[in-house]
Amino acid sequence: VCGTDTLGVGINVPIRTVLFSGLTKYDGRRQRQLQVREFAQIAGRAGRAGYDTVGHVVVLAPEHDIENAKAIAKAGDDPKKLRKVQRKKAPEGHVSWNEAVFDKLVNGTPEPLVPRMQVTHAMVLDVAQRPGDAIAALDRLIEESVVRPEDVERLQTRVRDIVEALVAGGVVERLDPPDAEGRTLVLTIDLQRDFALNQPLSPFAIATLELLDVESPEYHLDVVSVVEATLEDPRPIISAQVFRARGEAVAQMKADGIEYDERMELLDEVEHPKPLRDLLEAAYETYTQGHPWVRDHELRPKSVVREMAERAMTFSELVSDYGLARSEGMVLRYLSDAYKALERTVPASARTEELTDLTAWLGELVRQTDSSLLDEWEKLVNPADPASLDRAQAVADGEETIRPVTTNERAFRVLVRNAMFRRVELAALGRWDALGEMDGEDGWDAEAWREAMAAYREEYDHLGTGPSARGPAFIDLQVQGRTWHVRQTFEDPEGHRDWGISATVDLDASDAAGEAVLTVTSVGPA
């Protein structure tokens, strides 16, 4: 039996043996050595309770230690040769381990479990919906939980801070006197049934949504940026974005004749994309004046989901574009968290058709990549929904559970629109090879795309890819059974709207592939 351990550092090989490829792990912030408790948890899989009495645990030494051991063995017992052995050191920045670390993990006492109970906005909302005094109920929950005495007062104060924030944000109202069921708090009536605040900064996000211009063509993207700023950073993506931004900055600075030393200083200021940064930071400062405890949570503006939406990217395109193959799991987890936050945090009053479409698209993207991330969550959110129960049970039984991608028509329409607009973006950038890879089998190889767009350039000197070019006015979709016909019109500078891309969509092939399968039929005037 082979597979990767849940902690990401061990792999199971024949049944009674656990093989550690290393004694370090990435904990989301940094690479560090395993704790005794973590080592014991993984090593404990060497054998099955009730079946095996003996298990084996093998740990591979670091590569530089292995090379040193080989060199020493080759030198033998000759003192002169041993003195000449050039021992390799661990790579710079590498968190290493040795036999002493191994012995400590084998014989050490597991670290004590420390209670880490947290009171969240979602917890307060859940209790507020039950009969009785919500604050008193939470106080009892804290007192009866396994927490240290010094934490009781801190957590109970946290409850009151959250209640004040929810009241100030208009999310809940106080009842004085209590209602017939003893409730002292009640949710405001304009929130959807499954509304929840899943992040510490969710109340701030709701307050900030009121600052956005709902009439703006980028409103739905701005909502995404507000929500993304409340989520933890997916570090592999952020690092890749910073690396790319610095590479582009260096190229521009060289073209501008900036000297090396000055370039290095300027590079320190280059960051990953942060849409709405000024608005978000100003709103954060204002919000924290009335809710000072919010400063315990850092605002993190970023653009991951937004960039995917703007560039009409699929999950595989995002991974390929930024070289994230080794971090796919973390990327997918972030996209799942973003979808859940959009689905359950944004009030119904703040939703538009474009935002609803984007949310549906993101959920389907996550589901088609790994349905288990959403099926179990939906079971918890909608316990009475037979469909969610069936999918969650199928996951538990190890059965295939990915539903056809065309089942959610709203989300599939967005997938089709994105697939068409992706071709517009690539055409605007002149990336003929990428277009050829997408459509070469249908007769539209790189050269065919180059020739078609050369004819367009003879008439127009620009191809729009901004918010308006992505809008519904430039896409026409005709549904005809299991084959759809779609026309993506180009936004030309003269406003003629005569050029575009025509394609057919095969729904059966799309279900089999888990994504929109298009066949380009023409690129040119209608």
Side-chain angles (χ1 to χ4, degrees):
V1 179
C2 296
T4 303
D5 183 86
T6 54
L7 287 176
V9 293
I11 52 175
N12 293 336
V13 286
I15 300 260
R16 288 177 295 173
T17 302
V18 170
L19 171 65
F20 284 82
S21 58
L23 294 177
T24 62
K25 64 168 287 187
Y26 181 72
D27 63 6
R29 293 184 177 274
R30 60 187 177 86
Q31 196 77 15
R32 63 166 175 80
Q33 292 179 350
L34 289 179
Q35 297 177 346
V36 175
R37 179 160 44 84
E38 294 168 335
F39 177 81
Q41 184 265 327
I42 304 172
R45 300 185 183 189
R48 300 162 298 171
Y51 291 90
D52 299 314
T53 57
V54 175
H56 302 279
V57 177
V58 179
V59 177
L60 299 182
E63 290 187 14
H64 64 280
D65 278 355
I66 295 174
E67 294 298 322
N68 290 338
K70 288 180 179 179
I72 291 172
K74 186 176 181 180
D77 297 328
D78 189 330
K80 291 184 178 180
K81 291 182 178 180
L82 286 174
R83 284 196 298 269
K84 292 181 180 180
V85 171
Q86 297 292 323
R87 288 174 170 78
K88 293 186 176 181
K89 297 181 179 180
E92 185 176 353
H94 175 71
V95 178
S96 190
W97 64 95
N98 52 31
E99 191 170 356
V101 173
F102 173 67
D103 290 339
K104 183 192 75 171
L105 293 175
V106 171
N107 302 310
T109 301
E111 296 80 8
L113 291 173
V114 178
R116 300 185 183 277
M117 179 181 180
Q118 297 291 328
V119 177
T120 65
H121 294 78
M123 182 189 298
V124 174
L125 281 176
D126 286 340
V127 176
Q129 297 179 73
R130 304 172 188 172
D133 185 337
I135 296 178
L138 287 165
D139 283 345
R140 288 195 301 273
L141 175 64
I142 293 169
E143 291 166 357
E144 295 171 1
S145 298
V146 185
V147 296
R148 295 171 296 187
E150 60 267 28
D151 290 333
V152 172
E153 183 178 353
R154 176 181 61 82
L155 291 172
Q156 290 178 340
T157 300
R158 172 71 172 156
V159 168
R160 285 150 180 80
D161 289 343
I162 290 177
V163 169
E164 291 299 324
L166 295 176
V167 171
V171 178
V172 301
E173 295 176 353
R174 294 184 183 276
L175 294 180
D176 187 16
D179 66 11
E181 294 185 306
R183 291 188 181 89
T184 56
L185 299 173
V186 63
L187 270 68
T188 52
I189 60 175
D190 63 332
L191 300 178
Q192 60 265 39
R193 180 181 60 82
D194 58 351
F195 179 81
L197 299 178
N198 297 313
Q199 302 293 331
L201 289 177
S202 293
F204 160 76
I206 292 176
T208 305
L209 293 180
E210 298 178 3
L211 304 177
L212 304 181
D213 179 8
V214 72
E215 299 299 328
S216 168
E218 294 196 347
Y219 171 78
H220 60 299
L221 298 174
D222 290 343
V223 172
V224 170
S225 292
V226 171
V227 171
E228 285 200 271
T230 69
L231 303 176
E232 290 290 330
D233 285 345
R235 292 184 177 274
I237 305 178
I238 299 300
S239 297
Q241 289 179 331
V242 171
F243 181 79
R244 174 171 296 178
R246 289 182 174 176
E248 294 172 351
V250 166
Q252 184 60 50
M253 286 187 282
K254 286 182 177 179
D256 294 341
I258 298 176
E259 296 296 328
Y260 175 81
D261 290 340
E262 186 178 355
R263 291 203 305 266
M264 292 302 100
E265 291 181 8
L266 293 173
L267 275 183
D268 291 336
E269 302 175 6
V270 177
E271 299 178 306
H272 59 279
K274 295 182 177 182
L276 302 186
R277 178 178 182 175
D278 292 343
L279 181 146
L280 287 166
E281 291 182 348
Y284 181 78
E285 288 301 317
T286 300
Y287 190 81
T288 53
Q289 290 176 12
H291 311 86
W293 55 89
V294 171
R295 290 192 181 277
D296 292 340
H297 307 284
E298 182 182 356
L299 189 67
R300 297 181 173 88
K302 52 186 164 290
S303 180
V304 178
V305 175
R306 178 167 184 153
E307 180 180 354
M308 292 182 71
E310 288 179 324
R311 298 178 58 191
M313 301 176 77
T314 63
F315 177 76
S316 58
E317 287 172 337
L318 174 70
V319 170
S320 175
D321 193 50
Y322 281 113
L324 301 169
R326 298 183 63 182
S327 305
E328 282 190 2
M330 184 177 295
V331 175
L332 189 60
R333 178 65 64 180
Y334 173 81
L335 297 181
S336 174
D337 290 343
Y339 166 69
K340 293 172 185 177
L342 284 168
E343 179 70 14
R344 299 198 66 198
T345 299
V346 179
S349 58
R351 293 183 179 275
T352 62
E353 284 294 313
E354 292 84 356
L355 180 59
T356 301
D357 286 347
L358 188 152
T359 305
W361 157 76
L362 182 58
E364 198 61 31
L365 181 148
V366 173
R367 186 185 303 285
Q368 292 300 320
T369 307
D370 185 351
S371 62
S372 65
L373 287 172
L374 296 184
D375 288 337
E376 188 64 28
W377 176 69
E378 289 181 352
K379 175 185 174 183
L380 295 173
V381 173
N382 301 305
D385 180 12
S388 65
L389 288 172
D390 291 343
R391 289 194 298 270
Q393 185 59 50
V395 171
D397 294 340
E399 300 174 0
E400 182 62 41
T401 62
I402 298 179
R403 68 186 184 190
V405 70
T406 60
T407 301
N408 185 337
E409 184 172 320
R410 178 188 286 271
F412 186 65
R413 284 174 176 268
V414 179
L415 289 175
V416 172
R417 295 207 310 262
N418 283 353
M420 294 296 288
F421 190 76
R422 181 65 171 157
R423 288 162 169 80
V424 175
E425 182 192 45
L426 293 174
L429 295 172
R431 295 180 58 183
W432 316 122
D433 289 340
L435 286 164
E437 290 179 8
M438 298 172 70
D439 302 312
E441 293 182 1
D442 301 322
W444 285 90
D445 59 13
E447 189 57 34
W449 273 101
R450 190 194 311 273
E451 292 179 1
M453 294 309 299
Y456 173 84
R457 293 293 184 183
E458 290 179 1
E459 295 189 41
Y460 306 108
D461 60 3
H462 176 72
L463 175 58
T465 57
S468 58
R470 295 194 301 269
F474 289 87
I475 190 84
D476 179 60
L477 202 158
Q478 300 295 325
V479 176
Q480 295 181 359
R482 300 293 290 175
T483 300
W484 293 0
H485 298 272
V486 59
R487 173 75 175 177
Q488 174 70 56
T489 302
F490 292 163
E491 184 184 46
D492 61 80
E494 304 299 329
H496 293 162
R497 300 188 181 183
D498 51 349
W499 272 74
I501 305 170
S502 296
T504 58
V505 186
D506 186 331
L507 271 65
D508 292 332
S510 298
D511 283 339
E515 60 184 21
V517 176
L518 308 180
T519 299
V520 174
T521 56
S522 68
V523 179

